[in-house]
Amino acid sequence: KNQVEQSPQSLIILEGKNCTLQCNYTVSPFSNLRWYKQDTGRGPVSLTIMTFSENTKSNGRYTATLDADTKQSSLHITASQLSDSASYICVVSGNSLSGGSYIPTFGRGTSLIVHP
Amino acid sequence: EAQVTQNPRYLITVTGKKLTVTCSQNMNHEYMSWYRQDPGLGLRQIYYSMNVEVTDKGDVPEGYKVSRKEKRNFPLILESPSPNQTSLYFCASSINRVLSSPLHFGNGTRLTVT
């Protein structure tokens, strides 16, 4: 069964500090992995997409990494701001061409709180 | 503005009273889907649609119905709501089923069934 596990479940950091969120998946065959940010009371918004051939991708202060061999991804947030307080969700899509499912598998998210 | 619009944002109803949550997108997307989000469980897919008149079950379809008569609309129907369907619901759309483009989410519908 396809699964996406995220850690930690929750994280509290001080403004200005860095942090790293983890995502492990068992989805196979793999198509892509996205990180979404969900502010309280809003729908998730895509931050970045990682495909099989990509190792690192940055979007401002957000940097995502992917190790397709170990099926792990991380999201690193640099110089955190109060507005980074949100839930971060890892979503992995499969590849239907090889008999897999393109239906996305969602992680349960990491809740990040940034304190002043 | 490109967006996914859900209505209503908040809904309180009683057990057994049929209800419909509407979802509309203005991006000409083929793929649309519904999710429920519960504390500690994350987002779980209820139903999805790859195009007009093409729908399929997600992970938690029991107690829900959908229809896709037009490309832009994908309503979620609860024929006989029960308290365990109290949840936060999200509709989302994407260019196609391969999801090489991101899912665009609506702002959610918070449903309470008493």
Side-chain angles (χ1 to χ4, degrees):
Chain A
K1 181 182 178 183
N2 290 335
Q3 286 187 311
V4 175
E5 300 287 342
Q6 291 188 243
S7 62
Q9 188 172 358
S10 61
L11 183 61
I12 301 174
I13 62 174
L14 291 175
E15 187 178 12
K17 297 296 186 182
N18 304 336
C19 67
T20 300
L21 314 180
Q22 301 288 345
C23 174
N24 297 340
Y25 62 92
T26 62
V27 177
S28 182
F30 172 85
S31 175
N32 63 70
L33 181 150
R34 282 188 185 274
W35 284 94
Y36 286 83
K37 179 187 179 188
Q38 184 177 20
D39 293 316
T40 301
R42 306 296 296 271
V45 176
S46 177
L47 289 174
T48 185
I49 180 174
M50 304 294 290
T51 57
F52 188 85
S53 59
E54 295 173 309
N55 297 119
T56 303
K57 184 177 286 186
S58 293
N59 177 5
R61 294 180 296 103
Y62 301 103
T63 299
T65 66
L66 175 67
D67 185 334
D69 291 331
T70 61
K71 296 191 169 96
Q72 295 179 325
S73 176
S74 67
L75 181 69
H76 185 76
I77 304 174
T78 303
S80 60
Q81 301 176 358
L82 298 179
S83 59
D84 292 330
S85 295
S87 179
Y88 292 83
I89 303 170
C90 176
V91 182
V92 183
S93 294
N95 184 340
S96 63
L97 295 178
S98 303
S101 171
Y102 49 79
I103 298 174
T105 303
F106 287 76
R108 296 185 182 186
T110 292
S111 175
L112 174 65
I113 298 174
V114 180
H115 279 165
Chain B
E1 179 188 353
Q3 59 185 358
V4 176
T5 303
Q6 292 179 231
N7 280 298
R9 287 294 307 275
Y10 301 92
L11 181 57
I12 301 174
T13 189
V14 296
T15 299
K17 186 176 181 181
K18 181 180 178 180
L19 66 91
T20 299
V21 184
T22 64
C23 174
S24 179
Q25 51 92 3
N26 62 359
M27 296 169 279
N28 200 35
H29 284 172
E30 289 185 354
Y31 184 92
M32 297 186 74
S33 52
W34 275 103
Y35 304 86
R36 61 178 289 173
Q37 188 173 37
D38 302 290
L41 296 179
L43 285 157
R44 293 180 293 167
Q45 191 175 55
I46 302 171
Y47 269 94
Y48 64 95
S49 169
M50 292 188 288
N51 215 322
V52 176
E53 301 292 1
V54 181
T55 63
D56 211 341
K57 296 177 181 179
D59 296 322
V60 288
E62 294 78 19
Y64 305 95
K65 285 176 56 178
V66 293
S67 68
R68 187 93 182 271
K69 294 183 171 61
E70 306 165 280
K71 199 169 188 179
R72 64 182 291 126
N73 295 324
F74 190 45
L76 179 69
I77 302 158
L78 283 72
E79 294 271 4
S80 183
S82 61
N84 64 12
Q85 293 178 299
T86 292
S87 186
L88 179 58
Y89 292 86
F90 287 100
C91 178
S93 72
S94 185
I95 288 178
N96 55 44
R97 68 177 192 179
V98 178
L99 298 182
S100 53
S101 65
L103 285 164
H104 295 262
F105 286 84
N107 277 332
T109 295
R110 186 166 293 281
L111 171 65
T112 302
V113 183
T114 61

